[in-house]
Amino acid sequence: MTGIIKSEPFVINIGPQHPSTHGVFRIKATVDGEKVIDAEMVMGYLHRSMEKLAEERTYTQNIPFTDRTDYLSSMSNNLGYCLAVEKLAGIEVPPRGNAIRVIMAELQRLASHCMAVGAFANDTGAWQTPVMWAFREREKILDIFEVTSGARLTCNYMRIGGVAFDLRPEFEPMVRRVLREFPPFIDEMEGLLSENEIFIARTKGVGVLTPEMAINSSLSGPMLRGSGIAWDIRKADPYCGYEQYDFDIPIGYNGDSYDRFIVRLEEMRQSLKIIQQALDGLPGGPFRTEVPLALRPPKGEAYARIESPRGELGYYLVSDEGPSPYRFHIRPPSFINLSALKEMTVGGTVADAIVVLGSIDIVVGEIDR
């Protein structure tokens, strides 16, 4: 007997101390040669008992906790939580407060997607140049956050009833600069990668997610839209006045890693459209509704959701009329979107598994909480 090579499956750990797992996350992969035949997700390395800690603090004191779940989109997390408290307590936000929230949420989407597409390019082997371009543009947005909130990463800017501070005089010129300079960057990134032979080989047909699988797995955000499902919370269940803004929902057609990359690029263009409209129509008046320092919402429960950069981010709160939530729970899109990882990686190679994980765009802070 000649010419027969027998191989034996063995288990390798990808992570948790590995840059391509995008945080302290581990894939326990069973491989046969280079082929992945099983994949088990191992998480919990960053668990901080955040939801239980939140039940011992006042509603306002919990806002900084939300910064530290998805730390790449703190503004979005602030917003989702504040909407849930406002729904629970029946608090109305003034028009100026809503418009500022929309601008900040869309700037945060731009900053987050810069990290997503830049790091994803790194995962495919397009080393350094795309991610440095993305960091360059992201810094301009973090400068705006610093001027407005005093912080760059964990901003703690949203407040129950509106936002913490009104906009400074330099805010509008800085945002106008982003509106001018971001479109050429998106075109540049698309031109560099979308027709690159190696990038196409690494991403097209890799990590394919059918529309049925995406829906059955409760996926959301670019993961769902990359599979051709035009579902966006800003359109399906508008908040903060999103119904008055004109924007499109980008979708993919093949459900692969390449489509998810293209969807994120197009979402950045749509975010710029929304920011332009919100800034041009920014109303005057108060930026926040005054609420009691020790807020005690009436007995009941509320769930509020937003379209975060990673998908549907939901906050569920239960009040027993006390100063702290009786129950505090987060629906993190990274955790839900990760549920399809096994189906997307089994049958491919180890190298493909890195690309698939990068296309999901996880933030471990909101997976573990």
Side-chain angles (χ1 to χ4, degrees):
M1 294 176 66
T2 58
I4 298 175
I5 300 174
K6 289 187 176 182
S7 62
E8 187 176 306
F10 64 102
V11 176
I12 60 169
N13 287 304
I14 304 173
Q17 307 297 338
H18 193 289
S20 289
T21 58
H22 298 258
V24 281
F25 170 74
R26 178 159 67 109
I27 303 173
K28 190 178 175 183
T30 305
V31 298
D32 185 359
E34 275 289 304
K35 187 178 180 181
V36 178
I37 58 176
D38 192 20
E40 179 187 340
M41 297 175 291
V42 184
M43 55 194 77
Y45 297 99
L46 201 58
H47 180 65
R48 293 149 290 169
S49 196
M50 196 172 284
E51 292 167 328
K52 187 52 68 177
L53 287 170
E55 293 168 11
E56 301 298 326
R57 285 157 176 78
T58 68
Y59 287 91
T60 301
Q61 286 173 337
N62 284 331
I63 297 172
F65 279 145
T66 67
D67 285 321
R68 290 154 178 81
T69 51
D70 179 354
Y71 37 76
L72 290 183
S73 54
S74 67
M75 290 284 190
S76 303
N77 282 268
N78 287 178
L79 177 56
Y81 171 69
C82 288
L83 286 173
V85 179
E86 288 154 8
K87 191 173 182 180
L88 191 62
I91 296 169
E92 289 289 330
V93 179
R96 182 174 179 83
N98 272 330
I100 294 172
R101 284 178 166 189
V102 167
I103 293 171
M104 292 301 185
E106 295 308 317
L107 285 172
Q108 188 70 84
R109 194 181 314 278
L110 290 173
S112 179
H113 279 0
C114 279
M115 286 294 294
V117 299
F120 178 65
N122 257 11
D123 290 336
T124 64
W127 190 245
Q128 285 295 338
T129 299
V131 76
M132 295 310 295
W133 285 1
F135 267 118
R136 178 193 66 199
E137 300 306 314
R138 180 173 174 265
E139 285 296 302
K140 297 171 187 174
I141 296 171
L142 300 192
D143 289 341
I144 295 171
F145 290 166
E146 186 175 18
V147 163
T148 309
S149 71
R152 300 174 71 81
L153 194 68
T154 53
C155 298
N156 188 26
Y157 179 63
M158 305 293 174
R159 287 294 180 273
I160 300 163
V163 294
F165 315 107
D166 205 354
L167 302 176
R168 294 172 63 88
E170 55 265 49
F171 175 83
E172 184 171 341
M174 294 176 79
V175 176
R176 298 281 182 197
R177 179 192 173 201
V178 167
L179 292 174
R180 285 194 310 273
E181 296 179 1
F182 236 81
F185 154 69
I186 300 170
D187 295 341
E188 195 175 38
M189 185 71 85
E190 190 171 23
L192 178 71
L193 295 173
S194 65
E195 296 183 12
N196 181 282
E197 183 179 347
I198 299 173
F199 185 80
I200 290 172
R202 292 299 311 277
T203 58
K204 279 205 170 182
V206 174
V208 175
L209 200 60
T210 65
E212 295 77 20
M213 189 190 300
I215 292 170
N216 291 339
S217 301
S218 295
L219 306 189
S220 57
M223 287 289 290
L224 181 64
R225 292 189 285 274
S227 295
I229 309 297
W231 175 263
D232 189 310
I233 304 298
R234 295 171 296 175
K235 292 274 193 184
D237 187 12
Y239 53 93
C240 295
Y242 267 107
E243 63 275 8
Q244 61 189 307
Y245 300 111
D246 176 38
F247 65 99
D248 300 318
I249 304 176
I251 59 169
Y253 297 96
N254 302 308
D256 55 15
S257 298
Y258 182 86
D259 275 10
R260 290 188 280 277
F261 167 78
I262 295 297
V263 163
R264 287 188 177 98
L265 286 182
E266 188 55 39
E267 282 187 7
M268 292 164 83
R269 294 189 174 101
Q270 299 304 316
S271 288
L272 291 169
K273 280 177 64 176
I274 296 170
I275 294 167
Q276 179 82 59
Q277 295 169 66
L279 196 60
D280 290 345
L282 187 65
F287 59 90
R288 184 176 70 234
T289 299
E290 292 301 325
V291 301
L293 193 61
L295 181 65
R296 293 173 179 265
K299 198 174 285 188
E301 60 183 0
Y303 176 76
R305 57 183 182 169
I306 68 163
E307 186 67 38
S308 88
R310 267 152 278 285
E312 181 180 333
L313 171 65
Y315 282 85
Y316 173 72
L317 300 173
V318 178
S319 170
D320 60 358
E321 295 186 329
S324 306
Y326 175 77
R327 181 75 178 94
F328 180 104
H329 180 65
I330 305 171
R331 182 216 186 270
S334 289
F335 180 74
I336 308 294
N337 290 346
L338 207 52
S339 64
L341 180 64
K342 180 175 179 177
E343 286 75 10
M344 296 163 68
T345 53
V346 170
T349 65
V350 173
D352 288 342
I354 299 298
V355 171
V356 170
L357 183 61
S359 77
I360 298 175
D361 182 29
I362 62 168
V363 171
V364 179
E366 73 170 8
I367 293 171
D368 290 344
R369 306 187 295 288

